[in-house]
Amino acid sequence: MFDILLKNGNIVTAEREFKGDIAITGDKIAEVAPHIDGEAKRVIDITGKDVIPGVIEGHIHCMGTFMGCTSVNDFYENSISGAFGGVTTFMDFSNSKAGTPIADSSQEKLEMMSMSAINYTLHPKFIEGAPDPLSEIPKLVEMGLPTFKLYMTYRKSGTMCSDEMLLKAFAAAKECGALPLLHCESDTIAQYNIDQLMASGQPLKWAHFPLTKPQFCEAEAFSRAYYYARTVDCAILAVHTTVRDAFDLARKAHEEDDFPMYVETCPQYVTNFQDEYSRKDGHLILVSPPLRSRENAQYIWKAMADGTVSIIGTDDCNYSKVDKERFLEKDANGDFIQDFQKVVNGNPGMELRLPILLSEGVATGRLTMTRLVQLTSANIAKVYGCYPQKGTIQKMADADLAIIDRNKSWVVSQDVLHNNMDYCPLAGKSLQGKVEMTICNGKIIVEGDSFYGKRNEGHFVKRSIDPKMLQRYSALQE
């Protein structure tokens, strides 16, 4: 007897759509076929609904400190929010500290993540102050953590890695079957622009923030990372990419050399735009890289559709309005004295990623459903090293699934979301497409508006990257 039998669904994988049934036994998919006979503890008719692999969120920041502020959600609470967005696995970053081995920081963060109701893993974060971090790469790979984060900015906070470290890290990663992830912004350009702005005597208004990190601030760092990677022939992945020059360079690398230059982007760059920084509450949408123009969003959609963008994450950061305003002062009228340097960067996004892509991507014809699955699960599982355990719907894959209603229309508000935030960047936005059910490890954890998951029931996902993913970009299509 099966535990769950899903009947008459539109099954969508990275390769195709087809009508059929899915049987689940324990935490595995037992059978996928056009029609499955047999008894089950629960039979669910999903006629008219799509069923996709559980969404994988490869980029969140939870229970970490930035500018003295800590996210308002813990990992259990964040897993609830993710589950309502179809997420069955999420990935964070180690809270690396100067003087502490990266492996120790990673293990400490994994213990924090174990309270999650969904599956979890992380990317170790490399910083210059850690003791000999490059020597730890083999150990991290053995721990099942073959991806690590390197920052090309935030020098003043001690997070930025030097160019020498980048090049050496790339070379070490190549030897160990690891994949470096890059935050591509030029610290030199950004700091120069801030210094110039301050020297001119102008206030550091919210609207000035994207001027200090213009498109070429990101493009310069992206191209530098790319050419360093080419120097040692190491695959890399650039996170939260937003600019046309970066997409053009990646597209050329893919088409001409089949070079594994992987690219992530995020939904906020196609739903919120830089002119919104002129609002009085523009500080609430300060993110890095900054929001770009509406015109630029069209380049992002194109890159998503044509395969230049490999994966979509959210850079989910749940900092409250209180924390975003914690260091700001007010003038005599009670208005904030604008200073973007005093505002913690980051916005929530994990729960809304899938609905946004359904509404703004699939419903508008910008994305196909198979492309959606590639961007939100299959490619992430392949690149980060947990495929076909995750990211697909096939016999013996993990029973992680999201069932969605593409025709469901709804309006975003903080009241309908499932986090502890006190504001919502997309409040009032109408969306078409909603998660009806989320199944994680063979258990229904979201059904309608109800959550049935439990603390500590998420599984640690030990990962190992297929060597071909580190050798050629076309491996994503295999």
Side-chain angles (χ1 to χ4, degrees):
M1 176 181 288
F2 302 122
D3 290 320
I4 298 174
L5 181 57
L6 304 175
K7 298 287 292 182
N8 308 314
N10 183 51
I11 301 170
V12 188
T13 69
E15 298 79 27
R16 64 189 181 119
E17 294 184 52
F18 59 99
K19 303 294 183 182
D21 301 345
I22 302 171
I24 296 170
T25 300
D27 61 359
K28 297 292 183 182
I29 295 174
E31 191 174 345
V32 181
H35 179 76
I36 299 175
D37 291 316
E39 296 183 359
K41 295 176 183 176
R42 183 172 179 189
V43 178
I44 305 172
D45 188 345
I46 54 172
T47 300
K49 305 294 194 301
D50 297 281
V51 54
I52 66 173
V55 173
I56 303 173
E57 172 54 75
H59 191 159
I60 67 170
H61 298 275
C62 182
M63 296 184 73
T65 301
F66 183 51
M67 292 177 60
C69 301
T70 304
S71 58
V72 296
N73 288 349
D74 63 23
F75 279 107
Y76 172 65
E77 293 163 331
N78 226 27
S79 69
I80 295 173
S81 177
F84 277 97
V87 178
T88 54
T89 302
F90 57 15
M91 306 181 187
D92 204 299
F93 302 87
S94 61
N95 297 336
S96 302
K97 302 178 287 288
T100 301
I102 301 295
D104 291 355
S105 297
S106 298
Q107 188 58 49
E108 180 181 298
K109 191 64 173 280
L110 286 173
E111 290 171 5
M112 297 165 67
M113 297 184 79
S114 67
M115 70 176 70
S116 172
I118 64 175
N119 302 310
Y120 62 92
T121 183
L122 63 76
H123 314 288
K125 181 173 72 175
F126 280 26
I127 59 174
E128 290 278 5
D132 196 15
L134 302 186
S135 68
E136 295 195 71
I137 295 177
K139 181 178 181 179
L140 295 169
V141 171
E142 186 178 344
M143 289 171 63
L145 306 174
T147 50
F148 59 87
K149 179 81 169 286
L150 300 157
Y151 285 83
M152 300 176 73
T153 189
Y154 304 135
R155 174 179 54 83
K156 288 186 175 181
S157 69
T159 303
M160 188 182 90
C161 296
S162 68
D163 284 2
E164 179 182 9
M165 183 175 180
L166 292 178
L167 197 55
K168 289 181 177 179
F170 292 178
K174 179 177 172 61
E175 291 298 316
C176 298
L179 177 69
L181 314 183
L182 283 301
H183 178 129
C184 296
E185 289 185 295
S186 168
D187 192 79
T188 301
I189 291 175
Q191 193 57 54
Y192 173 82
N193 286 334
I194 291 172
D195 291 344
Q196 291 295 107
L197 192 61
M198 294 178 70
S200 71
Q202 297 186 65
L204 302 182
K205 293 185 176 182
W206 324 138
H208 290 153
F209 178 64
L211 304 181
T212 64
K213 293 184 171 185
Q215 293 210 17
F216 47 79
C217 176
E218 184 180 335
E220 187 279 332
F222 186 99
S223 63
R224 183 160 31 106
Y226 167 72
Y227 288 117
Y228 284 177
R230 293 305 298 261
T231 298
V232 296
D233 194 27
C234 172
I236 60 172
L237 188 150
V239 299
H240 48 48
T241 306
T242 73
V243 300
R244 183 181 184 180
D245 285 352
F247 297 135
D248 287 347
L249 180 58
R251 191 176 289 114
K252 181 179 179 182
H254 302 160
E255 293 175 353
E256 295 183 4
D257 302 311
D258 200 14
F259 187 77
M261 170 78 236
Y262 298 105
V263 179
E264 175 203 75
T265 195
C266 305
Q268 56 265 36
Y269 298 110
V270 295
T271 53
N272 290 105
F273 305 102
Q274 65 185 35
D275 58 1
E276 296 175 66
Y277 287 132
S278 296
R279 297 183 337 209
K280 199 172 183 178
D281 64 350
H283 59 295
L284 296 179
I285 50 174
L286 285 176
V287 294
S288 287
L291 301 175
R292 306 297 185 188
S293 68
R294 284 173 168 77
E295 178 186 17
N296 187 77
Q298 302 312 309
Y299 299 118
I300 298 177
W301 281 116
K302 181 179 185 297
M304 287 188 209
D306 69 16
T308 303
V309 166
S310 327
I311 63 179
I312 295 178
T314 61
D315 200 5
D316 180 277
C317 302
N318 289 286
Y319 296 115
S320 67
K321 182 179 179 182
V322 171
D323 274 341
K324 278 187 166 286
E325 297 173 350
R326 184 175 300 278
F327 306 108
L328 295 172
E329 299 176 359
K330 292 186 176 181
D331 61 21
N333 297 319
D335 296 324
F336 287 119
I337 300 172
Q338 296 194 17
D339 185 343
F340 60 73
Q341 291 195 112
K342 294 182 178 180
V343 180
V344 61
N345 281 204
N347 277 159
M350 182 166 48
E351 186 171 347
L352 288 175
R353 175 176 60 155
L354 183 57
I356 286 170
L357 294 175
L358 288 167
S359 183
E360 304 292 296
V362 175
T364 62
R366 293 184 174 112
L367 299 175
T368 63
M369 282 296 292
T370 54
R371 184 71 186 132
L372 175 81
V373 168
Q374 292 168 20
L375 290 166
T376 61
S377 59
N379 286 359
I380 304 175
K382 291 177 180 180
V383 172
Y384 288 155
C386 52
Y387 186 89
Q389 176 188 0
K390 309 289 184 185
T392 190
I393 300 175
Q394 64 183 41
K395 187 173 182 176
M396 295 311 297
D398 287 352
D400 294 346
L401 302 167
I403 298 167
I404 56 181
D405 183 348
R406 266 193 266 176
N407 298 314
K408 178 77 171 181
S409 296
W410 59 294
V411 177
V412 178
S413 72
Q414 187 53 43
D415 292 340
V416 301
L417 299 179
H418 301 83
N419 55 41
N420 294 324
M421 295 296 291
D422 49 8
Y423 75 97
C424 176
L426 289 179
K429 185 173 182 62
S430 297
L431 295 177
Q432 181 181 327
K434 204 170 193 299
V435 175
E436 295 283 303
M437 179 180 291
T438 301
I439 299 173
C440 182
N441 300 322
K443 298 179 180 178
I444 297 171
I445 61 171
V446 166
E447 186 169 7
D449 295 324
S450 299
F451 181 74
Y452 299 103
K454 295 181 180 179
R455 185 184 293 265
N456 303 117
E457 284 201 339
H459 299 169
F460 166 63
V461 181
K462 187 173 183 178
R463 299 175 289 120
S464 177
I465 302 174
D466 186 332
K468 69 185 181 184
M469 300 303 305
L470 302 175
Q471 296 164 359
R472 49 192 174 81
Y473 192 74
S474 58
L476 273 178
Q477 307 305 317
E478 298 175 358

